Amino acid sequence: SLRQKDPAVSASRPLRLWCHGIGVAEGRRFDRHSEALEYLKSAALPVSPESQLVDTLEEVFKYCGHWEEHRHDVDYEIDGVVVKVDQIRLQEELGATSKAPRWAIAYKFPPEERTTLLRDIFVHTGRTGVVTPFASLETVFVGGVNVTTATLHNEDEVKRKDVRPGDTVIVRRAGDVIPEVVGAVVARRPKNARPWRFPKKCNSCGTPLVREGAYWRCPNRGGCPSQNIEWLFAFASRGAMDIEGLGYKTAYLLLDMGWVKDPADIYALTAEQLQQLPGFKEKKIENLLAGIEESKNRPLWRLLVGLNIPHVGSHTAQVLANAFGSIDNMKAASVEDLEAVEEIGPIVARAVYEWFHDRENVRLLEKLRRAGIRMADQPRKKKTDGPLAGKTIVLTGGLESMSREEATQAAEEAGARVASSV
């Protein structure tokens, strides 16, 4: 990890990089991506010498095939080839989804597979109560890293793959990222290897598990230590309320001391309490309390992510925040109101409605409100006059004089509403 408390640790590592594109270049526009890469080279910035401009799909396929065979010839790990449209105007015309550009695609190499011993199968209760089985493995080197644990997804997957403690199993990193068990080498199975059974009770709090679709869930939402620690850590994470200094170890300590039972309790912590925690000196306490105070004014979508609402990740949270503007408006919305929002389907709408009408969640929101957490975004001023007032427009293609983003801003300043589709 590059992010260290002591910058000397990062400085001691032999770090190198390849520059593969330009985000913002004030006063300069490029016609082609390849032109931008040449500019980076001329500025003495490192650009991969393996980058290549080709004219046909046949050449693209040939390039991908070459690197699939020679993926280990470079002194860094690669898991595929990215193919990009070179012309910037065509990139702008193709646009992007909420997750990825439409002008680039990744050709992924087949993941590398290794065999190792499956020592045992354990389960973990996550922040939403879903209980996930995972394999404890004899250390194996796969895709450039040492792997000791791997996901098994759910009970049905364990049965389908028929993997058992004591088996020799095939392991790979899905997308060269998440380790997973592919299956067992049945020919090498010990005679005493028995099928694994999913536990009937939560391993963290002992509550009987409830089956929901493909997953088992612990219903003890407020009293399950595992759910609480995961929720608290997620609430304080960079993707949610971004509370600097409140990592996994600190979250565990706060729960263990009984000071925090839900995320709203974070805002009642005092310096006197934190002084009792091991390793908490004056500066560390100051930094944590400052991080907690700063988090009170985060944008609404970050609060929505931290609230642990089923199916609401960062993108959906931003969609909801833009559509409703406040917690109160979301609480007052019907299922139909929620479903009427573009990109919000019936499953998400029902989940959000039920979350906001759960008694415990209503109490949590009130605690957060009393703690001074921002519960609404500043309303964006809509221009009611101008040459495009009252009109809804959709931008397509590219413009010579400005980018799509600049064109969107200019249209809104002229009074228009800019939509993503007709």
Side-chain angles (χ1 to χ4, degrees):
S1 173
L2 300 184
R3 190 166 179 251
Q4 300 289 328
K5 290 180 180 178
D6 183 359
V9 175
S10 294
S12 69
R13 292 174 176 168
L15 302 174
R16 291 186 294 163
L17 66 89
W18 292 126
C19 298
H20 59 83
I22 293 177
V24 177
E26 292 184 7
R28 177 87 188 244
R29 280 181 63 81
F30 298 97
D31 293 328
R32 293 176 175 271
H33 180 68
S34 54
E35 181 189 340
L37 293 181
E38 288 300 322
Y39 174 78
L40 290 172
K41 283 184 192 176
S42 70
L45 290 167
V47 174
S48 173
E50 314 304 342
S51 296
Q52 187 176 327
L53 180 64
V54 299
D55 296 318
T56 66
L57 276 178
E58 286 73 20
E59 290 175 282
V60 170
F61 298 146
K62 183 179 177 182
Y63 183 90
C64 292
H66 169 82
W67 282 108
E68 188 172 336
E69 288 182 24
H70 298 274
R71 62 187 295 185
H72 297 297
D73 290 0
V74 289
D75 60 354
Y76 47 89
E77 291 292 327
I78 59 174
D79 66 350
V81 173
V82 177
V83 183
K84 302 177 183 178
V85 171
D86 193 37
Q87 289 175 271
I88 303 299
R89 286 186 64 185
L90 288 179
Q91 289 185 9
E92 292 175 344
E93 184 171 350
L94 289 164
T97 67
S98 63
K99 296 182 178 178
R102 291 194 180 96
W103 48 267
I105 191 167
Y107 172 77
K108 290 283 190 177
F109 301 149
E112 292 185 297
E113 296 182 346
R114 297 285 186 273
T115 59
T116 190
L117 175 68
L118 194 163
R119 295 182 182 279
D120 208 344
I121 298 175
F122 300 103
V123 295
H124 175 69
T125 304
R127 64 185 175 86
T128 61
V130 171
V131 181
T132 305
F134 66 93
S136 173
L137 306 167
E138 191 171 274
T139 304
V140 61
F141 192 73
V142 186
V145 299
N146 284 317
V147 172
T148 56
T149 59
T151 182
L152 287 166
H153 303 293
N154 55 50
E155 182 185 27
D156 294 341
E157 278 291 283
V158 178
K159 288 179 178 177
R160 184 180 67 80
K161 293 173 179 177
D162 188 25
V163 289
R164 308 176 184 184
D167 272 344
T168 296
V169 293
I170 301 164
V171 180
R172 70 182 179 193
R173 290 174 66 208
D176 277 357
V177 179
I178 302 169
E180 68 171 356
V181 174
V182 179
V185 182
V186 180
R188 295 169 66 178
R189 172 170 288 163
K191 291 181 180 179
N192 62 346
R194 297 181 179 278
W196 179 77
R197 304 294 180 198
F198 208 96
K200 299 298 182 187
K201 295 181 178 180
C202 175
N203 66 320
S204 179
C205 65
T207 303
L209 301 179
V210 176
R211 183 73 186 239
E212 293 184 7
Y215 297 92
W216 286 95
R217 185 187 296 274
C218 171
N220 185 19
R221 188 173 55 181
C224 177
S226 186
Q227 288 185 62
N228 286 340
I229 185 70
E230 295 290 352
W231 183 12
L232 190 58
F233 177 66
F235 183 87
S237 70
R238 279 177 151 188
M241 299 299 274
D242 194 14
I243 302 176
E244 189 70 33
L246 211 171
Y248 206 91
K249 289 182 180 177
T250 301
Y252 183 85
L253 287 170
L254 295 173
L255 286 164
D256 198 42
M257 294 295 285
W259 298 335
V260 173
K261 292 183 172 61
D262 62 51
D265 291 332
I266 294 169
Y267 298 95
L269 291 171
T270 65
E272 289 72 27
Q273 286 176 313
L274 296 175
Q275 285 169 0
Q276 301 174 46
L277 299 179
F280 271 72
K281 304 298 183 186
E282 186 177 350
K283 190 63 179 175
K284 187 172 183 178
I285 293 169
E286 284 179 12
N287 290 342
L288 177 54
L289 291 176
I292 291 171
E293 189 62 31
E294 286 174 17
S295 74
K296 290 181 178 181
N297 199 36
R298 299 287 185 231
L300 178 62
W301 72 265
R302 287 185 170 275
L303 175 60
L304 293 175
V305 173
L307 288 175
N308 204 20
I309 304 169
H311 309 297
V312 177
S314 60
H315 177 70
T316 302
Q318 290 174 63
V319 170
L320 290 168
N322 289 336
F324 293 99
S326 75
I327 289 291
D328 290 338
N329 288 345
M330 261 175 272
K331 187 179 175 183
S334 65
V335 175
E336 291 73 23
D337 294 333
L338 289 159
E339 201 173 333
V341 177
E342 189 176 352
E343 296 189 68
I344 302 298
I347 293 174
V348 176
R350 172 57 62 181
V352 172
Y353 177 85
E354 289 178 353
W355 193 93
F356 275 96
H357 288 78
D358 179 276
R359 219 176 269 175
E360 286 185 36
N361 295 333
V362 171
R363 280 197 292 267
L364 172 63
L365 289 172
E366 287 310 308
K367 279 179 72 175
L368 289 166
R369 193 190 301 274
R370 289 195 301 271
I373 310 304
R374 174 174 154 184
M375 309 293 273
D377 282 340
Q378 294 293 329
R380 288 185 291 181
K381 292 181 180 178
K382 293 186 178 180
K383 203 170 172 68
T384 55
D385 55 358
L388 297 178
K391 296 187 183 297
T392 298
I393 66 171
V394 176
L395 293 167
T396 63
L399 299 164
E400 289 185 8
S401 60
M402 63 181 76
S403 68
R404 291 271 291 275
E405 290 75 16
E406 291 167 334
T408 298
Q409 186 177 347
E412 288 176 343
E413 287 174 355
R417 172 182 172 267
V418 180
S420 59
S421 59
V422 177

